[in-house]
Each structure stands twice: as structure tokens, then as C-alpha cells.
């Protein structure tokens, strides 16, 4: 069990991958990742870029986090990632548990610009495996983009196909259960 709470995590690019928070222990049941701000004050030039990445464990709560901008709470100017084929994943959950849920709610992913020579890719929330409840309760949904601010997440005009997936579930429904509701995805350009 780990608790990562109320931190400002910025300029986290290191080596070939940029990851803000990474949980990779299968014994990390009940991890709490809450009320953190993940941002970059300079352009990130490695790819892929992960805000929060859970590779193992279960019963994880990811709540109240801000991913984007150049200051806390997705503030100031846009978080910028630029690479030949830039890939951005705000929150990725890859848990193998069949018994417990992972809870992802009230997170904000916005104020982001992706640019690259070819095919920029954006996933706000990516569910690879494990049971998950995303948003699920009125008033506690996740926000990807902004309800009223235009161009809250922007792509460059790369030469390849651009991919945008606000919330993407790759879950095998015969093995895993998920519920995705009450989330806002808006103002993407």
C-alpha cells in the first residue's frame, strides 16, 4: 500500500520515457494517488509520456489529480510534448486483479499541446486490464479537455494519422468489468 498525495510533480522526463507516477509492484493493493499536479515547465521531447501509470496491483484510487499545463492545477501555458511521433497517456491502468476494482474519478487532464513530425497520439485514460470504475458518480467524473475553454488539448498537423481517445478501454469483457460514466471530454483540436 502506498499513498501519493498533494504533490507537485514536474519536469519528469528521464531517458527514453517520461513518467510522472509509476506503480509497478503487484503487492501495491490499495494505493491512493490523490490531489497531485503533474506538469512540465519545458517541452518534453521523449515519448511515450505517461502522467500516472499503474502496471500492477489493484484496488487503486486515482482521484483529484491534475495533468497538464506548466504550473500546478493545469495552470499557466500549455504542457508541451514534441517528438517525431509523440504519444501522451494521461492515466494508464494495467492491473491483473479479477477481484477488486480500480477507482478513477475527479481527475483533470487539460492544457496540453502535442506536436511531432508524424502521427501524434493522445489517450486521456487508457484501461489495459483490471476491473475499473471511471467517473461513475454524478459530480465526480473526470475531465479531459475543458468544458468551455476552446483548444484545451491540441495536436499539430503531423504527416500521419492523428489518434485521440479520451477514455479507451481495451478490457476483455469476459474477464474484466468496467463502468465508465459521468465524464466530460471537450474542446479538443
Amino acid at each position: 500500500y502506498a499513498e501519493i498525495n498533494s504533490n507537485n510533480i514536474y519536469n519528469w522526463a528521464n531517458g527514453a520515457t517520461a513518467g510522472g507516477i509509476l506503480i509497478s509492484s503487484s503487492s501495491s493493493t490499495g494505493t491512493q494517488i490523490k490531489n497531485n499536479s503533474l506538469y512540465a515547465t519545458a517541452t518534453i521531447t521523449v515519448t511515450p509520456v505517461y502522467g500516472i501509470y499503474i502496471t500492477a496491483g489493484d484496488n487503486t484510487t486515482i482521484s483529484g489529480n491534475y495533468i497538464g499545463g506548466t504550473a500546478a492545477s493545469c495552470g499557466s501555458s500549455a504542457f508541451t510534448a514534441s517528438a517525431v511521433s509523440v504519444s501522451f497517456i494521461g492515466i494508464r491502468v494495467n492491473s491483473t486483479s479479477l477481484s477488486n476494482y480500480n477507482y478513477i474519478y475527479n481527475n483533470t487532464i487539460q492544457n496540453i499541446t502535442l506536436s511531432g513530425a508524424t502521427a501524434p497520439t493522445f489517450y486521456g485514460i487508457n484501461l489495459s486490464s483490471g476491473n475499473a470504475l471511471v467517473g461513475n458518480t454524478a459530480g465526480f467524473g473526470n475531465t479531459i479537455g475543458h468544458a468551455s475553454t476552446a483548444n484545451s488539448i491540441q495536436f499539430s498537423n503531423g504527416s500521419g494519422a492523428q489518434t485521440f481517445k479520451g477514455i479507451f478501454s481495451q478490457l476483455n469483457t469476459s474477464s474484466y468489468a468496467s463502468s465508465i460514466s459521468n465524464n466530460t471530454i471537450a474542446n479538443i483540436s
Side-chain angles (χ1 to χ4, degrees), residues 105-188:
Y105 63 93
N106 206 29
N107 297 287
T108 302
I109 302 169
Q110 63 186 211
N111 199 9
I112 297 168
T113 298
L114 303 181
S115 63
T118 62
T121 301
F122 178 94
Y123 293 88
I125 299 172
N126 184 345
L127 306 173
S128 298
S129 64
N131 298 323
L133 299 176
V134 181
N136 231 45
T137 303
F140 291 95
N142 299 285
T143 301
I144 299 167
H146 194 279
S148 60
T149 301
N151 307 317
S152 180
I153 297 174
Q154 297 182 59
F155 292 88
S156 72
N157 292 326
S159 63
Q162 299 175 0
T163 301
F164 175 85
K165 299 191 183 213
I167 300 173
F168 181 62
S169 176
Q170 303 177 68
L171 301 180
N172 175 340
T173 55
S174 65
S175 300
Y176 300 111
S178 66
S179 177
I180 301 168
S181 60
N182 298 303
N183 300 287
T184 300
I185 302 170
N187 287 301
I188 315 302

Side-chain angles (χ1 to χ4, degrees), residues 6-186:
S6 300
N7 298 288
N8 288 327
I9 301 169
Y10 58 96
N11 298 342
W12 66 80
N14 184 12
T17 301
I21 297 174
L22 171 66
I23 304 294
S24 61
S25 172
S26 61
S27 63
S28 60
T29 297
T31 296
Q32 306 284 309
I33 302 171
K34 296 182 173 181
N35 307 313
N36 299 287
S37 284
L38 293 96
Y39 56 94
T41 62
T43 299
I44 292 181
T45 58
V46 298
T47 190
V49 178
Y50 294 98
I52 299 170
Y53 189 4
I54 309 300
T55 65
D58 66 353
N59 198 29
T60 299
T61 299
I62 303 170
S63 172
N65 299 288
Y66 291 89
I67 303 171
T70 57
S73 303
C74 297
S76 196
S77 58
F79 173 108
T80 302
S82 179
V84 171
S85 185
V86 67
S87 176
F88 179 94
I89 302 97
I91 299 170
R92 182 171 183 185
V93 176
N94 187 20
S95 167
T96 56
S97 174
L98 296 174
S99 57
N100 293 314
Y101 279 85
N102 295 293
Y103 304 91
I104 305 165
Y105 63 93
N106 206 29
N107 297 287
T108 302
I109 302 169
Q110 63 186 211
N111 199 9
I112 297 168
T113 298
L114 303 181
S115 63
T118 62
T121 301
F122 178 94
Y123 293 88
I125 299 172
N126 184 345
L127 306 173
S128 298
S129 64
N131 298 323
L133 299 176
V134 181
N136 231 45
T137 303
F140 291 95
N142 299 285
T143 301
I144 299 167
H146 194 279
S148 60
T149 301
N151 307 317
S152 180
I153 297 174
Q154 297 182 59
F155 292 88
S156 72
N157 292 326
S159 63
Q162 299 175 0
T163 301
F164 175 85
K165 299 191 183 213
I167 300 173
F168 181 62
S169 176
Q170 303 177 68
L171 301 180
N172 175 340
T173 55
S174 65
S175 300
Y176 300 111
S178 66
S179 177
I180 301 168
S181 60
N182 298 303
N183 300 287
T184 300
I185 302 170

